[in-house]
Amino acid sequence: MPNPLYDALFRPHEGNEAVFLSLKDGRDISYAEFMRLAARLANALAASGVQPGDRVALQARKSPEALGVYAACVTAGAVFLPLNTAYTPAEVEYFVTDAGVKLLVCDSASRAALEPVAQKAESALLTLDADGGGTLADLARNQPAGFAAAERGPDDLAALLYTSGTTGRSKGAMLTQDNLLSNAEALVDAWRFTAADMLLHALPIFHTHGLFVASNVTLLAGGGMVFLPGLDMDDLAAHMRRATTMMGVPTFYTRMLADPRFDRALTGHMRLFISGSAPLLAETHRDFEARTGQRILERYGMTETNMNTSNPYKGERRAGTVGQPLPGVALRIVDPETGAPVPPGEVGIIEVKGRNVFKGYWNMPEKTAQEFRTDGFFITGDLATMDADGYVTIVGRAKDLIISGGYNIYPKEIELLLDEQPGVAESAVIGVPHPDMGEGVVGVVVPRNGADLSETVLLGAIAGTIARFKQPRRIFVVDELPRNTMGKVQKNVLRDRYKDTFG
Ligand code: MLC
Ligand code: AMP
């Protein structure tokens, strides 16, 4: 039975004894072993009542088993819904309920907190721990190590990834088998991945970057991954020599630059360093080349679209640009008001169309319609210019979005929370330069009727309600917010006022 994603990424590896995952503790997991794990997990999903098309949510620490749940979902035809491990139970509840999740898999440590969530959402709940333990792992252990992949078509959903909305309500981006497969094919080709590659993987696997860009590309090429639990500079230095390629968000590169161990001797054997998910400063690009002799390849993507542009493998990797549209991706830069293409070199909004572009937002047909043009182009909300030779330079965002260490934070969500606090009349949340994370979150609040607001009290009040990475690192109390003649808060004025907050 056809299942295009399984057929391309997984089936070729049944019986493949080559190393797929090489772990921090020195343990290697072959493709064949991973395939048996995935089949057992697929049987465990089926035994838990998961049918093709059902959503399976996973909030668990990075491990081969966690990646195995993704593989199991593809195998069993379920829709994989990965969740940031930093999300609070209240955040998880929204995703699980909105998506009508059939099975929620979490770390044993969060089981008690998530039990009521699963009950409310009428979802089954199983656990999976970073050491491979947990009730899902136990269930899988006794299952057969083979599973006849469920029949799926190219247009069937493979994953549902939530991205926050500008109105504060998160949207589930529906990604089809073909969205993922076509992009993996384009990237393997563009970046020359082969079975000889070993990718240094220190990214989380609950986002497009670490999951689809890194893992799908590796699976399609048949190479391996040095699979590290997270970004730890000692681990990165210790395992670099075993790798041929690395993918990271810009923070990976600024941290390497801050650490003298990352020099020509340590990185000289690497064939490719890739950066994406947030703007890489041209300065970082140049400093990294000066230090290591390596020219980082920067690319640009989005949860909704997978990867859209890339600097060339051979050819000029231009600092400060995200390169040219990938083969199969139609990209245009248009006037935000009229939708008409702008001349080369002028700023407009990026719109894209192609097999890589998602099917729409889960249960939000109106929101979906708003973000697509009638000719099928998706409006990214990123502002950019394109040179005569097709290089795209991102210059800003038309959407109110903060990207901190590669994580997206939507100011509206935080503003709604601050506005609910006693004594707060109104608030504005902005991103300002941060030396480590690219952007850091700052809140600006106006007291109601002379209320005595304290930064510490406000920070304490919202701690625990939303993921830590979204919480402002500083909150300033002001008499009023700057507004334009239309009454709109001038966030650019605030960004300028607080630009030196993080030094
Ligand atoms: C962690 N913290 C962050 C943070 N990550 N704060 C702001 N922004 C972040 N991104 C906070 C924690 O809450 C904690 O706070 C403190 O920092 C230390 O936590 P940690 O877990 O030890 O941090 P660290 O391991 O250093 O993580 C930083 C990081 C990580 C940059 C390595 O955030 C990361 O891996 N980011 C990658 C995100 C990613 O994969 N994005 C791709 C999206 S896909 P405290 O105060 O409690 O100490 C996409 C599409 C595309 O965008 O194009 O790819
Ligand atoms: P996400 O919703 O997490 O997938 O984030 C997608 C957003 O990240 C894009 O819309 C861009 O704003 C930003 N982004 C991704 N890659 C880059 C890049 N190389 N340079 C600048 N911004 C980027």
Side-chain angles (χ1 to χ4, degrees):
M1 285 195 289
N3 178 327
L5 203 54
Y6 183 84
D7 294 343
L9 301 189
F10 298 104
R11 196 185 299 283
H13 302 305
E14 290 170 359
N16 176 358
E17 292 301 334
V19 173
F20 173 42
L21 301 176
S22 185
L23 308 184
K24 179 180 155 166
D25 64 8
R27 189 160 63 98
D28 283 344
I29 297 178
S30 71
Y31 268 105
E33 198 180 330
F34 183 77
M35 290 298 295
R36 288 192 291 274
L37 169 69
R40 287 199 175 96
L41 285 165
N43 280 305
L45 298 187
S48 310
V50 173
Q51 303 277 331
D54 284 345
R55 276 75 59 208
V56 172
L58 175 74
Q59 189 190 38
R61 274 176 295 166
K62 186 176 172 183
S63 69
E65 289 76 13
L67 191 62
V69 174
Y70 163 56
C73 285
V74 175
T75 310
V79 180
F80 185 55
L81 196 172
L83 292 169
N84 194 322
T85 45
Y87 289 148
T88 62
E91 289 170 308
V92 172
E93 179 177 328
Y94 171 78
F95 302 123
V96 169
T97 314
D98 187 66
V101 159
K102 183 81 179 205
L103 169 66
L104 167 63
V105 181
C106 70
D107 214 279
S108 297
S110 25
R111 179 179 189 121
L114 290 178
E115 236 155 28
V117 170
Q119 255 169 28
K120 204 162 162 188
E122 293 178 24
S123 145
L125 179 67
L126 291 172
T127 59
L128 185 67
D129 299 330
D131 64 1
T135 54
L136 173 62
D138 292 343
L139 179 61
R141 203 162 293 122
N142 300 317
Q143 300 291 328
F147 190 102
E151 184 172 354
R152 296 269 90 186
D155 208 31
D156 283 327
L157 296 195
L160 190 58
L161 264 62
Y162 276 82
T163 72
S164 294
T166 37
T167 53
R169 220 182 132 216
S170 282
K171 305 166 288 183
M174 299 190 286
L175 293 156
T176 66
Q177 286 224 337
D178 195 53
N179 294 152
L180 303 183
L181 183 53
S182 64
N183 211 236
E185 285 170 347
L187 298 179
V188 166
D189 209 42
W191 299 338
R192 317 273 168 99
F193 270 78
T194 71
D197 274 310
M198 185 58 86
L199 174 77
L200 193 52
H201 193 300
L203 286 160
I205 54 168
F206 44 71
H207 277 312
T208 294
H209 198 162
L211 184 62
F212 302 137
V213 186
S215 306
N216 284 356
V217 161
T218 300
L219 284 157
L220 189 64
M225 297 196 273
V226 180
F227 206 58
L228 300 176
L231 183 63
D232 174 282
M233 300 319 280
D234 291 340
D235 287 348
L236 211 62
H239 294 277
M240 182 75 72
R241 283 185 214 285
R242 302 166 56 207
T244 60
T245 57
M246 198 195 90
M247 294 180 189
V249 300
T251 300
F252 282 38
Y253 293 97
T254 45
R255 288 196 187 172
M256 281 196 270
L257 279 169
D259 186 329
R261 286 176 295 182
F262 295 89
D263 60 7
R264 272 171 199 265
L266 187 65
T267 60
H269 67 287
M270 295 283 281
R271 77 167 181 88
L272 185 60
F273 283 93
I274 301 174
S275 176
S277 306
L280 182 78
L281 296 178
E283 184 192 339
T284 310
H285 194 281
R286 285 191 281 268
D287 289 351
F288 197 75
E289 185 178 15
R291 170 86 74 78
T292 65
Q294 301 271 354
R295 267 184 97 78
I296 300 169
L297 182 154
E298 186 175 4
R299 57 57 175 185
Y300 153 69
M302 207 176 162
T303 301
E304 287 93 331
T305 64
N306 298 286
M307 299 306 101
N308 294 312
T309 71
S310 173
N311 272 279
Y313 186 76
K314 284 219 176 305
E316 195 193 349
R317 296 180 197 163
R318 229 175 259 176
T321 84
V322 294
Q324 296 151 322
L326 283 159
V329 179
L331 184 148
R332 66 189 183 197
I333 303 205
V334 305
D335 182 306
E337 305 302 325
T338 64
V342 299
E346 280 188 26
V347 175
I349 217 157
I350 301 178
E351 297 185 349
V352 291
K353 184 177 174 180
R355 283 169 65 193
N356 56 309
V357 178
F358 77 135
K359 204 174 172 171
Y361 295 112
W362 178 261
N363 276 345
M364 290 186 178
E366 280 159 25
K367 191 79 204 155
T368 304
Q370 275 168 20
E371 303 207 7
F372 280 91
R373 299 274 181 202
T374 45
D375 61 0
F377 274 78
F378 173 67
I379 308 164
T380 63
D382 289 309
L383 295 170
T385 60
M386 190 194 261
D387 289 358
D389 52 4
Y391 279 75
V392 175
T393 303
I394 296 180
V395 297
R397 296 175 203 131
K399 50 194 172 189
D400 193 11
L401 161 70
I402 300 168
I403 306 184
S404 166
Y407 287 154
N408 286 6
I409 298 155
Y410 280 81
K412 190 77 196 166
E413 184 185 354
I414 325 299
E415 288 161 4
L416 290 172
L417 204 58
L418 287 174
D419 292 349
E420 279 172 13
Q421 303 309 315
V424 173
E426 59 173 353
S427 64
V429 169
I430 51 167
V432 298
H434 189 286
D436 184 36
M437 297 292 179
E439 288 182 273
V441 183
V442 165
V444 186
V445 295
V446 177
R448 183 185 299 279
N449 303 330
D452 190 14
L453 288 181
S454 128
E455 178 178 21
T456 322
V457 171
L458 283 172
L459 288 174
I462 61 169
T465 56
I466 46 166
R468 174 77 185 117
F469 71 86
K470 297 180 188 171
Q471 296 168 23
R473 295 295 147 144
R474 289 299 314 270
I475 295 182
F476 297 99
V477 181
V478 298
D479 290 338
E480 59 179 0
L481 296 174
R483 292 184 185 276
N484 65 15
T485 47
M486 311 288 286
K488 195 168 179 294
V489 174
Q490 291 172 303
K491 289 205 167 176
N492 52 339
V493 172
L494 290 175
R495 278 191 285 265
D496 190 53
R497 192 182 296 165
Y498 296 107
K499 65 179 186 304
D500 297 324
T501 304
F502 301 111

